[in-house]
Amino acid sequence: MLRRRAPAVCTAAVAVPAPAGLTGSASAGPSPHLAPAGAGRLPPGPLRAMRRDLGLSADRATQRIGNEFRAVAVAAALRRSLGAGFAGARLSGDAAELTVATTDAADTDTITRAGARAVVVDHSLAELTAGEAALDRVALRRAPKDVPARYVGVRTDRLVVQTGRSSAADAFLAKAGTPRGPVTAIRRSGHRAQPGHFASE
């Protein structure tokens, strides 16, 4: 379901099934060879990839993948318990530290008790994905010119629109009825669009 959408940033090529809204190494995609109960019985491929790409020992790689499996379960449980305030989760560092974002400061105790780091943000994951879905519906009818990609940036709490011209992105958003508040427009070259209609990060 790419539809010319940019992928979420992943920190390693480790295949661990992840719930929606979780970015980082555990979001690289599901593997038919791995199950949560089998984190200590990994096939050699993922271990070799982690040793090669991250410079981890076999023990550290196995420990990290175990941490990722636990983080996936915690993130899924928190998504259910936080409800509308859930704003995504991400993994970072060699220890696969879990950070969970929420729009409600009252949720931070729940997040920290679950063993994750809490971050309070402005936009929920539901809000950002709803904006992305509206853009997708417009693009399915007619692909927008000079707007090659769009994606939810969980790490930045933004709906990112990649564009060749700010005016093209502006027209695309207007046609979709997507609010401009949570949107960041980025030039196709990788440089952020000139300030104007789009809120900064």
Side-chain angles (χ1 to χ4, degrees), residues 71-87:
V72 166
V74 170
L78 285 172
R79 178 170 187 162
R80 290 191 297 270
S81 64
L82 300 183
F86 180 78

Side-chain angles (χ1 to χ4, degrees), residues 20-32:
L22 177 63
T23 65
S25 55
S27 64
S31 166

Side-chain angles (χ1 to χ4, degrees), residues 25-190:
S25 55
S27 64
S31 166
H33 305 294
L34 300 181
R41 299 186 299 276
L42 294 170
L47 289 177
R48 282 198 300 267
M50 294 187 76
R51 294 177 71 178
R52 180 189 67 238
D53 298 340
L54 302 177
L56 299 178
S57 67
D59 287 344
R60 288 287 302 280
T62 300
Q63 180 184 31
R64 173 168 173 159
I65 292 179
N67 290 345
E68 291 180 350
F69 276 120
R70 287 187 289 274
V72 166
V74 170
L78 285 172
R79 178 170 187 162
R80 290 191 297 270
S81 64
L82 300 183
F86 180 78
R90 63 180 185 268
L91 299 176
S92 59
D94 287 348
E97 179 187 17
L98 176 64
T99 298
V100 174
T102 177
T103 59
D104 188 347
D107 291 334
T108 57
D109 285 345
T110 299
I111 294 170
T112 54
R113 283 198 304 270
R117 187 170 73 93
V119 175
V120 179
V121 296
D122 293 327
H123 308 289
S124 70
L125 184 64
E127 177 187 357
L128 297 178
T129 54
E132 182 187 32
L135 295 176
D136 286 346
R137 287 192 293 272
V138 170
L140 282 174
R141 294 194 297 270
R142 183 175 181 179
K145 186 177 180 181
D146 291 326
V147 187
R150 65 271 179 197
Y151 59 93
V152 171
V154 172
R155 188 178 300 275
T156 57
D157 191 44
R158 311 294 296 169
L159 175 55
V160 180
V161 174
Q162 194 180 43
T163 181
R165 296 179 296 112
S166 293
S167 58
D170 202 24
F172 185 32
L173 292 171
K175 187 174 292 186
T178 299
R180 294 180 177 86
V183 174
T184 292
I186 299 178
R187 294 289 192 191
R188 270 187 295 190
S189 63

